[in-house]
Amino acid sequence: MKKFDPSVAIHDFLVFGEFGDVNPSITDSSTFTFLSTDRMSEIFEHEIEGCFLYSRHWNPINKYLSDTLARFEDTESAQVTASGMGAINCAIMQLCNAGDEIVSSHTIYGGTYALFKNFLPKFNIKVNFVDITNLEEVKKAVTDKTKVIYCETISNPLLEIADIPNLSKIAKSSNAKLVVDNTFAPMVVTPARLGADVVIHSMTKYINGTSDCVAGCICSTKEFISSLNDVNSGASMLLGTVLDSTRAASILKNIHSLHLRMQKHSGNAMYMASEFEKLGIKTYYPGFKTHKGHSLLKSMMNDGFGYSGIVAIDLLDEDKANKLMEMMQMEKVGYLAVSLGYFKTLFSAPSHSTSSEIPEEEQAKIGLGKGLIRFSFGLDNNINEIFERIKGCMKKLEIV
Ligand SMILES: *Cc1c(COP(=O)(O)O)cnc(C)c1O
């Protein structure tokens, strides 16, 4: 397959504002005028290129950002949403009816897990959770009611890798759609080129990169994105997950530095993971040859963006993990906070934060220990010094 560089794909997409502005104007209107009544009824019937009706449906700046994201994920079309959960909800609600089933990885973002486990049953949508790295188990879980196979490219928080090409084959042979949450691996992997039908991001994380808003997107075929926007039956139109236009404008600017940020996040993560391992700490990082998804990720990766910036370490002791995190914040390593993809380092214990929705016995089954700390490494230019600070904290707590 021809090599793909998402950063070039978006860089080559020139947009012009109303007056040739290099950054298109922020849409500051909820509604749009029509010169004729005919035109108005026409757009209620079908989309007309360059014509806008009402901002929850489409507005110019959200369209610019969506078009950029479609190029970025190499899909025909895309749709921005008010959050990552908004994107997941819209995609799932559009694809599934009452009585349908989903086969989902059991290591997914805590919010998605709670949605699948606690909320979808209200609508009689059943989710079968599987170990997504076990393709036989996935095949067995698929029934004639399965409409969606759901996974994350790099999963939260144990950094397992989904075999997108083979999952796509399973989905195709059973008439289901493969939906991939690519939040942890923007630039690194382009799931649609590997067979994913729908690609989702929480743009709150890497794509925006400044931890100042929540936002999401759905990238897919023109047909699917149009169906989301149908005024009578579209999930995005009817559930009302529209992204605020001011935010769309700022994300559109931030995405243009994403390639540089991913390189730095990945480089810093690789350095830290290697140093942790040298200290004898149990470390999870897909950049390691010893990581069980390493060669799979390598076979799916775009060149030049590394293995992303998330590293997990297991201290096998909850108390020590908690003390270490508090101490690291005091020593200015970064912030004790959930989320990821920020320019500063963020760390938290997934067991009682981002994955706390997953019941304890399930956590134990998937290997999510209470002493596990997830790091999202920042853009620090003095990463060796930051490591020395962490090592200092570990020594004080007699972890090393
Ligand atoms: C944060 C996150 C989400 C949810 O996104 P929001 O923008 O917080 O709604 C979904 N999937 C993954 C992998 C995430 O990290």
Side-chain angles (χ1 to χ4, degrees), residues 145-300:
K145 290 185 184 151
T146 306
K147 288 285 156 62
V148 168
I149 296 179
Y150 188 94
C151 66
E152 295 174 3
T153 310
I154 302 180
S155 78
N156 184 36
L158 292 173
L159 315 175
E160 287 173 344
I161 310 300
D163 184 344
I164 299 169
N166 278 313
L167 289 167
S168 160
K169 279 185 202 147
I170 300 174
K172 283 201 169 61
S173 69
S174 51
N175 272 327
K177 299 282 183 213
L178 177 63
V179 179
V180 179
D181 180 335
N182 200 31
T183 301
F184 275 42
M187 294 277 169
V188 177
V189 176
T190 308
R193 293 176 65 84
L194 303 165
D197 298 292
V198 178
V199 180
I200 281 169
H201 281 277
S202 165
M203 299 202 292
T204 311
K205 318 293 169 53
Y206 282 116
I207 290 184
N208 186 45
T210 43
S211 288
D212 53 356
C213 71
V214 286
C217 70
I218 306 164
C219 304
S220 186
T221 58
K222 217 173 173 146
E223 187 190 353
F224 185 66
I225 301 299
S226 301
S227 76
L228 291 171
N229 287 298
D230 189 288
V231 288
N232 295 307
S233 59
S236 151
M237 181 66 182
L238 301 176
L239 297 177
T241 54
V242 65
L243 177 63
D244 180 73
S245 51
T246 320
R247 286 310 184 182
S250 65
I251 297 167
L252 183 56
K253 285 173 283 208
N254 286 1
I255 196 175
H256 284 281
S257 61
L258 180 62
H259 60 302
L260 298 172
R261 290 187 276 117
M262 288 315 290
Q263 287 163 1
K264 192 72 174 170
H265 285 302
S266 294
N268 282 351
M270 183 59 120
Y271 174 81
M272 283 293 194
S274 310
E275 293 300 318
F276 286 148
E277 207 173 54
K278 278 187 218 155
L279 291 177
I281 290 168
K282 191 172 180 196
T283 307
Y284 297 87
Y285 187 59
F288 285 165
K289 287 200 180 73
T290 49
H291 184 283
K292 75 177 170 43
H294 175 78
S295 52
L296 172 61
L297 179 55
K298 244 188 129 136
S299 72
M300 301 193 297

Side-chain angles (χ1 to χ4, degrees), residues 13 34 39 42-43 46-53 57-58 60 63-64 67 71 76-77 222 226:
F13 177 47
F34 289 84
R39 199 77 173 150
E42 205 183 332
I43 193 171
H46 58 90
E47 204 179 311
I48 304 169
E49 189 73 33
C51 238
F52 297 93
L53 170 69
H57 181 242
W58 270 121
K63 188 84 179 122
Y64 281 131
D67 288 349
R71 281 167 174 78
E76 283 174 5
S77 192
K222 217 173 173 146
S226 301

Side-chain angles (χ1 to χ4, degrees), residues 300-316:
M300 301 193 297
M301 271 164 70
N302 295 316
D303 286 343
F305 305 104
Y307 298 87
S308 193
I310 314 295
V311 175
I313 58 171
D314 197 349
L315 301 180
L316 308 165

Side-chain angles (χ1 to χ4, degrees), residues 34-48:
F34 289 84
L35 287 178
S36 78
T37 48
D38 286 355
R39 199 77 173 150
M40 191 179 234
S41 37
E42 205 183 332
I43 193 171
F44 261 96
E45 271 155 36
H46 58 90
E47 204 179 311
I48 304 169

